[in-house]
Amino acid sequence: MVNSCIQQTVTVCLKFRPFCKILKTTCTLVFFLPLQDAVCTLNTLQTNACALEQVRRERGHPQLQLQAMRGFLERAGLVVEELDHLNIIHVTGTKGKGSTCAFTEHILRSYGFRTGFYSSPHLVEVRERIRINGKPIGKELFTKYFWQVYGRLYETKDTHGGSMPAYFRFLTILAFHVFLQEKVDLAVIEVGIGGAYDCTNIIRRPWVCGIASLGIDHTSILGDTIEKIAWQKGGIFKPGVPAFTVKQPDGPMMVLKERAKEIGCPLWVCPELEEYPADSEPLRLGLAGHHQRSNASLALQLSHSWLQRRCLPGRWEKPPAQLPAYTYPIILDLTSLSSWAVGLEDTEWPGRTQTLKHGPVTYFLDGAHTTRSMLACVSWFSKVASQHERTTGGPVVRVLLFNATGERDSAAMLKLLVPCHFDFAVFCPNITEAIASCNADQQNFNVSVENMLTRCLDNQRSWRLLNGQEEKPGAQLLISRDALPLVAAERCSKTLVFPCILSALQWLSQGRDSVLAHPDKRVIPVKPSVTAKAAPLRDAAGIHVLVAGSLHLVGGVLKHLDPSFAS
């Protein structure tokens, strides 16, 4: 009902605003509609015909992307100059940029600053992308600000060829609007894709920029070599604005240095985390995995640089007592800055090297979706799963729950997972539940259900081949165009494809996870033959499940496993 009527509802609200509850500013939309209506309206921007045509046009002329973004920003009632007041920290990279932002935001929040944090994608609810003081923006505030921005853009679309911003562009504009209205002291902004032509790069004067680890991803947009990708990432550099990066391979590092010199941006390479003086005990991080140590070092440099620029001119009434000298390379003394070490230790960033234990079932969640991030994921999982297995007190069954989307090389990622010796490999699309009432926050209209399930079958085939298993002739997934199937046909005893995340989780947990066995959870029926294959799961002392390949998959899993996400 919402999807079919929302546009008409918006039109009516705009037409009869004098008779509705009006916001303070002009050219804005009422916000009496509930949150789900706002999210459903937001989702229409995923498939907006004008937006898709606009993206196609701009691929050949990337500079048009920023021009278009400025136009949308002005139509929403903002100007680029206003963003200068947000005291922005701008971060890009292929792997680790989200974790870096999370570390940075937590450190600066610990100083008492009111922080804004814009990231993508969201795991469960779209509100996660826009955070105030580390928390997703509240439902009422999201709804209020959504309709303010959407209303202004909607009212002006007829004079601009009917154009509306695409999904990510809109959310970026919304984030800027929220941070300005909520008067944050600083905003940590994570780049969406690339840097040079990403819509976040309309920022003119960030206070500091950061580039996390580089790798191959989004090649159709950014280029097919790591050097081309480095050029795109270095596009966030601004004249005179300090920038930091972690150690990179020689090729991309040279490109970053050339970009920095060309733009007039001072660029420094962060030291290893082990080089920072600290207490006798090893520095602990809230995010697991050795790869997080470079992200933490980058966050320390970004936080330090921001505090130097903010505090030394006397613009803050209560500057920190023991701020180190502004010299490079900066080796911060964490023994005198214990709050910084605590900030790193207390940082949380769900879905990245996260462990959830539900009785005998332990879930290891990591949104790794490139070969380089999967390497880090495998290293982390191998270590932490072995630690858990030593204390289980009996046989443990290992299960891989995997999906990958877009242009990513699934076979290459799966190859890296083979040495983990999984007893079962389970594949499913990023569909939370096989029912019509699934959460609007996780709807994706840019790919069909048939395509998603076909991709799962391809992943299953790749896994079988990587493990030296032959194909069973005639085995295939029977895809219904009217409704999702209850379960896919299995091709061997150790690989299965399920139509949704809930059905996969219920099968692999075999009723041994009290959260999934809750009466409120709809039980997805499966074939008796599939149930029979689960005997090892029922008999094992422990079930260890690695969820990887897609942050959207991890988000769908968290929606079912973590009560804080289910509300």
Side-chain angles (χ1 to χ4, degrees):
M1 176 179 177
V2 169
N3 280 324
S4 60
C5 301
I6 187 63
Q7 206 65 36
Q8 181 179 355
T9 305
V10 172
T11 304
V12 171
C13 289
L14 287 167
K15 185 175 181 181
F16 296 102
R17 282 191 306 160
F19 305 101
C20 302
K21 182 179 179 182
I22 307 299
L23 299 177
K24 291 182 180 179
T25 54
T26 59
C27 260
T28 53
L29 179 65
V30 297
F31 60 97
F32 65 85
L33 296 175
L35 173 66
Q36 281 299 94
D37 289 356
V39 176
C40 288
T41 303
L42 172 65
N43 287 345
T44 65
L45 301 178
Q46 293 182 29
T47 53
N48 181 280
C50 293
L52 291 178
E53 177 57 32
Q54 185 179 39
V55 170
R56 280 191 286 269
R57 289 199 311 268
E58 292 168 357
R59 275 190 178 168
H61 305 279
Q63 65 276 10
L64 293 179
Q65 297 181 33
L66 295 181
Q67 294 177 16
M69 183 63 181
R70 292 188 189 96
F72 286 125
L73 192 74
E74 291 173 2
R75 284 171 53 190
L78 303 172
V79 292
V80 174
E81 288 75 14
E82 287 183 88
L83 306 186
D84 297 344
H85 303 299
L86 290 177
N87 306 324
I88 288 170
I89 298 173
H90 202 193
V91 182
T92 188
T94 306
K95 178 172 72 77
K97 62 181 184 292
S99 299
T100 298
C101 289
F103 281 129
T104 304
E105 186 276 335
H106 198 93
I107 290 171
L108 293 175
R109 178 158 40 97
S110 70
Y111 273 90
F113 291 109
R114 181 171 172 81
T115 62
F117 179 10
Y118 177 57
S119 65
S120 62
H122 61 276
L123 292 175
V124 178
E125 293 188 81
V126 69
R127 297 182 296 111
E128 299 165 32
R129 296 182 183 228
I130 303 173
R131 295 172 179 260
I132 302 292
N133 282 339
K135 302 293 184 183
I137 182 174
K139 294 180 180 180
E140 290 185 1
L141 282 182
F142 180 89
T143 305
K144 167 186 171 181
Y145 290 132
F146 173 86
W147 290 118
Q148 284 181 356
V149 173
Y150 188 89
R152 293 166 185 168
L153 290 164
Y154 188 87
E155 286 184 325
T156 56
K157 72 182 181 69
D158 290 341
T159 56
H160 291 82
S163 65
M164 290 287 286
Y167 188 88
F168 184 77
R169 281 182 180 173
F170 179 89
L171 285 171
T172 304
I173 295 168
L174 179 61
F176 290 145
H177 178 65
V178 169
F179 296 153
L180 286 167
Q181 292 297 312
E182 292 296 306
K183 295 180 172 55
V184 299
D185 295 315
L186 70 130
V188 180
I189 305 295
E190 178 187 350
V191 168
I193 296 177
Y197 304 118
D198 184 74
C199 63
T200 64
N201 207 31
I202 59 169
I203 299 165
R204 302 185 318 159
R205 296 176 182 171
W207 282 38
V208 61
C209 296
I211 298 183
S213 179
L214 297 180
I216 301 293
D217 198 14
H218 301 293
T219 54
S220 63
I221 299 173
L222 304 180
D224 56 2
T225 69
I226 195 169
E227 287 77 16
K228 292 178 181 178
I229 291 171
W231 187 93
Q232 293 280 353
K233 305 288 184 180
I236 69 168
F237 295 156
K238 300 295 185 296
V241 174
F244 297 86
T245 186
V246 300
K247 292 183 178 179
Q248 310 280 5
D250 291 342
M253 182 63 79
M254 184 60 66
V255 172
L256 292 179
K257 289 179 178 178
E258 290 173 354
R259 285 285 265 164
K261 183 177 180 181
E262 170 192 333
I263 293 171
C265 162
L267 174 66
W268 290 278
V269 179
C270 299
E272 298 288 350
L273 197 60
E274 289 72 21
E275 297 179 48
Y276 295 84
D279 294 328
S280 56
E281 295 184 4
L283 188 65
R284 291 189 295 268
L285 303 180
L287 306 182
H290 188 269
H291 60 287
Q292 295 291 0
R293 301 187 73 78
S294 63
N295 299 331
S297 179
L298 178 55
L300 286 171
Q301 299 299 327
L302 294 173
S303 302
H304 175 266
S305 179
W306 190 92
L307 282 168
Q308 286 285 339
R309 299 194 66 190
R310 173 69 183 246
C311 301
L312 287 186
R315 282 179 282 177
W316 190 32
E317 294 181 0
K318 297 180 180 180
Q322 298 180 353
L323 206 59
Y326 195 55
T327 57
Y328 296 95
I330 307 169
I331 307 295
L332 303 177
D333 185 355
L334 298 182
T335 58
S336 63
L337 291 169
S338 59
S339 60
W340 292 49
V342 172
L344 293 176
E345 184 176 351
D346 291 346
T347 298
E348 296 179 353
W349 195 225
R352 289 80 171 176
T353 58
Q354 180 184 8
T355 302
L356 288 176
K357 185 170 177 56
H358 289 192
V361 188
T362 305
Y363 302 90
F364 304 90
L365 303 103
D366 189 52
H369 53 270
T370 68
T371 52
R372 193 167 181 187
S373 60
M374 191 59 74
L375 272 172
C377 172
V378 167
S379 175
W380 162 73
F381 172 74
S382 298
K383 180 179 179 180
V384 70
S386 295
Q387 293 171 346
H388 280 263
E389 286 165 7
R390 284 195 293 268
T391 60
T392 299
V396 171
V397 173
R398 284 190 177 187
V399 182
L400 170 66
L401 179 57
F402 181 90
N403 190 41
T405 60
E407 63 188 21
R408 295 181 173 91
D409 190 343
S410 301
M413 287 191 283
L414 289 170
K415 183 177 182 179
L416 297 174
L417 288 161
V418 171
C420 292
H421 303 296
F422 292 100
D423 299 287
F424 292 94
V426 176
F427 305 92
C428 70
N430 297 336
I431 299 172
T432 310
E433 299 177 50
I435 54 176
S437 61
C438 90
N439 196 342
D441 292 82
Q442 295 180 318
Q443 289 177 344
N444 183 351
F445 301 134
N446 292 326
V447 60
S448 70
V449 172
E450 184 171 350
N451 286 340
M452 286 190 282
L453 290 169
T454 300
R455 181 71 179 268
C456 290
L457 285 173
D458 290 339
N459 292 337
Q460 183 193 42
R461 185 180 302 111
S462 295
W463 183 258
R464 288 183 54 83
L465 292 173
L466 287 167
N467 285 274
Q469 298 166 337
E470 296 181 359
E471 292 288 327
K472 271 189 178 180
Q476 61 180 353
L477 176 68
L478 302 177
I479 300 172
S480 168
R481 294 184 180 274
D482 301 320
L484 288 174
L486 291 180
V487 72
E490 66 282 3
R491 295 196 178 190
C492 79
S493 61
K494 294 193 175 183
T495 67
L496 298 98
V497 175
F498 288 88
C500 69
I501 294 170
L502 179 58
S503 60
L505 289 174
Q506 287 179 335
W507 181 85
L508 62 86
S509 64
Q510 287 297 299
R512 304 180 68 185
D513 182 340
S514 59
V515 174
L516 291 172
H518 194 276
D520 291 343
K521 292 290 184 184
R522 176 176 179 264
V523 178
I524 309 294
V526 298
K527 296 177 181 179
S529 60
V530 175
T531 302
K533 294 181 187 300
L537 296 166
R538 294 190 291 271
D539 298 336
I543 302 171
H544 287 179
V545 185
L546 174 64
V547 184
S550 166
L551 270 171
H552 299 286
L553 173 66
V554 169
V557 169
L558 281 172
K559 180 180 184 296
H560 290 298
L561 297 182
D562 189 339
S564 67
F565 282 108
S567 60

